[in-house]
Amino acid sequence: MVRHIRHVLLLTLSAFSLFGHAQAIKVKAFPGASALPLIVGTTQGIYEKHGVKVELLFTQNSQEQRDDLASGAVHIAHAAVDNAVAMVERAKRDVVIVTGGDSSMNEFFVQPDIRSFGDIKGRTVAVDAPNTAYALQAKKILLMNGLKEGVDYKVHPVGGTLLRYRAMRENREYAASMLNPPMSVDAPGAGLRSMGRAVDLLGAYQAGGAFVLRGWAQANAETLERYIAGLIEASRWTVAPENRAAGARLLVERFKIDPKVSERTMEMLSDPKFGLAPDARFDLQGFRNVLALRAEIEGDWGGTPPAPEKYIDLRYYENALKRIAR
C-alpha cells in the first residue's frame, strides 16, 4: 500500500511538472484560415496537454516573420515553406522545415474588369515578398498565360493575404493577387473574380508548414516534438465534422468575418486536396515542385533544383506521431 501511494504521488508530481510548468515557446503565423489549428491548439488546451505553452503571434508579412525567426524573437514560424528555402539560400540562415500544413489554398483573383489573363498586361500584381512562395505561384500562372514579369506587368509587395485583399478592394490598380481563405471566400462578394485554384493550375505544392532554426531544434528536440504532437491533434480537431461549428465560431471571433464566410471556410479546410493536410503531413512531391518553381522563376541553383533533403528534417514529426500513439 505504501509503495502504491508513493507511486501515485510520483505520477501526480510528474503530471504537475509537465502541465503546471509547460515549456513556453513563441510561434508566429499569418492571420487566416491556415492558422486555425494553431488557434485551436491554444484555445482548447491541446498544446498544454502536451507540455508546451504557446504564445501565438500574427505577422504582417514574410520579411517580418523571417527576421523574427532569425533573431530568436520567435521560436517557430508557420508560413509557406518556400520562405525557409529563401532564408537558407538568400539570408544564409540554417533553417529546417519540420512539418507540412496545407497546399496554400490559393486562388488567383483579379479585378472585375479583367476578363482574361491578357487584360493584366501593363498592370500591377500585389504580392507578399516578391521572390518567395505565393508570388512565385502568381508569376508562374502568368507565365503559363504568356505574361512575363517586368515586361508585361510589375509586382508590388503589399504584405500577407489580408493586406493584399484589402489593397485590391481599395485600389483598382492592383489588378491581381493570390488569395486564400477566408479572404478568398469573401472576395467574390466584393466583386473580385477567381481565375482558378493554384492546385488545379500548378499541381501539388507544399505551401504552409512549420520551420525553425536547426540549432534551436537540436537544443530543444523534446519541446519541438511536444509542440508538433499538439499541432497534429489540433489539426485533427479542426477537420473533425463534429467540430465544424465550433471552428467556424473561432474564425468569426478571431478574424471578425461573416458567419457564412466562416462556415464555407471550414468546408474548404476539410478538403484533403485543397485544404489542411491530414495530420499536418509534409508533401515531399509538393516540395519538389516548390524547389522546381523557384529554380525556374527566380533562377536559383542555376535553374536546377537541389535535393529536398537539404531543407527538411522530419525526425521531430515522426517522434511526435509516436508520442500520440503511446
Side-chain angles (χ1 to χ4, degrees):
M1 177 65 71
V2 172
R3 286 197 299 271
H4 176 71
I5 293 173
R6 185 182 295 119
H7 179 65
V8 171
L9 286 173
L10 287 172
L11 288 176
T12 302
L13 288 171
S14 175
F16 179 79
S17 175
L18 178 58
F19 304 124
H21 299 280
Q23 177 71 40
I25 56 176
K26 291 185 177 182
V27 176
K28 201 159 200 178
F30 279 88
S34 61
L36 185 56
L38 309 183
I39 297 170
V40 166
T42 56
T43 60
Q44 305 300 310
I46 297 174
Y47 284 127
E48 291 199 4
K49 167 189 168 185
H50 287 279
V52 288
K53 184 177 179 61
V54 173
E55 180 182 355
L56 178 58
L57 306 168
F58 287 121
T59 189
Q60 294 288 313
N61 55 65
S62 296
Q63 192 60 56
E64 172 194 304
Q65 185 185 50
R66 295 197 298 263
D67 289 345
D68 282 351
L69 183 64
S71 70
V74 299
H75 305 108
I76 300 174
H78 278 267
V81 296
D82 189 44
N83 285 286
V85 178
M87 288 187 72
V88 173
E89 299 298 340
R90 302 291 174 87
K92 306 304 178 185
R93 305 296 303 200
D94 194 8
V95 171
V96 64
I97 302 163
V98 294
T99 78
D102 61 77
S103 68
S104 80
M105 296 180 278
N106 271 332
E107 294 184 61
F108 192 99
F109 272 90
V110 297
Q111 295 289 359
D113 62 304
I114 293 176
R115 311 309 298 178
S116 69
F117 284 103
D119 293 338
I120 298 174
K121 192 168 185 177
R123 305 279 291 273
T124 299
V125 176
V127 300
D128 178 12
N131 59 1
T132 60
Y134 306 156
L136 304 191
Q137 285 187 323
K139 291 178 187 181
K140 176 62 175 177
I141 291 169
L142 290 168
L143 189 62
M144 290 165 58
N145 287 275
L147 299 179
K148 186 175 181 180
E149 180 198 3
V151 176
D152 300 303
Y153 68 93
K154 63 181 179 179
V155 299
H156 184 75
V158 173
T161 302
L162 177 60
L163 297 178
R164 298 196 303 276
Y165 178 43
R166 185 180 300 161
M168 287 189 72
R169 293 185 63 173
E170 296 175 354
N171 188 346
R172 297 296 184 181
E173 288 303 309
Y174 294 117
S177 188
M178 304 299 291
L179 300 179
N180 52 37
M183 283 64 75
S184 60
V185 179
D186 193 61
L192 302 181
R193 299 178 56 249
S194 173
M195 301 292 279
R197 307 190 310 179
V199 293
D200 299 325
L201 297 171
L202 301 176
Y205 186 87
Q206 175 54 64
F211 48 97
V212 301
L213 294 175
R214 192 187 301 270
W216 183 86
Q218 293 169 344
N220 299 274
E222 183 175 349
T223 297
L224 180 55
E225 290 168 12
R226 292 183 184 279
Y227 172 80
I228 295 173
L231 174 64
I232 292 170
E233 287 207 17
S235 297
R236 292 176 179 176
W237 188 101
T238 302
V239 298
E242 63 270 23
N243 296 326
R244 186 167 291 180
R249 286 194 296 272
L250 282 174
L251 287 173
V252 171
E253 292 167 6
R254 188 57 62 101
F255 301 121
K256 311 303 179 188
I257 59 176
D258 184 275
K260 291 183 178 179
V261 170
S262 70
E263 291 169 7
R264 173 58 183 147
T265 298
M266 290 302 298
E267 294 175 9
M268 295 170 74
L269 290 176
S270 300
D271 182 337
K273 176 184 178 182
F274 186 65
L276 296 176
D279 289 353
R281 194 174 302 129
F282 186 82
D283 180 357
L284 185 58
Q285 183 54 50
F287 186 56
R288 286 194 176 98
N289 290 341
V290 170
L291 297 176
L293 189 60
R294 172 166 284 280
E296 177 187 2
I297 302 298
E298 293 298 307
D300 286 17
W301 314 291
T304 301
E309 287 75 16
K310 175 182 179 180
Y311 308 99
I312 60 178
D313 190 341
L314 299 181
R315 292 175 298 173
Y316 306 103
Y317 179 88
E318 297 300 331
N319 289 337
L321 281 176
K322 294 174 184 176
R323 285 180 178 275
I324 295 174
R326 289 174 187 169

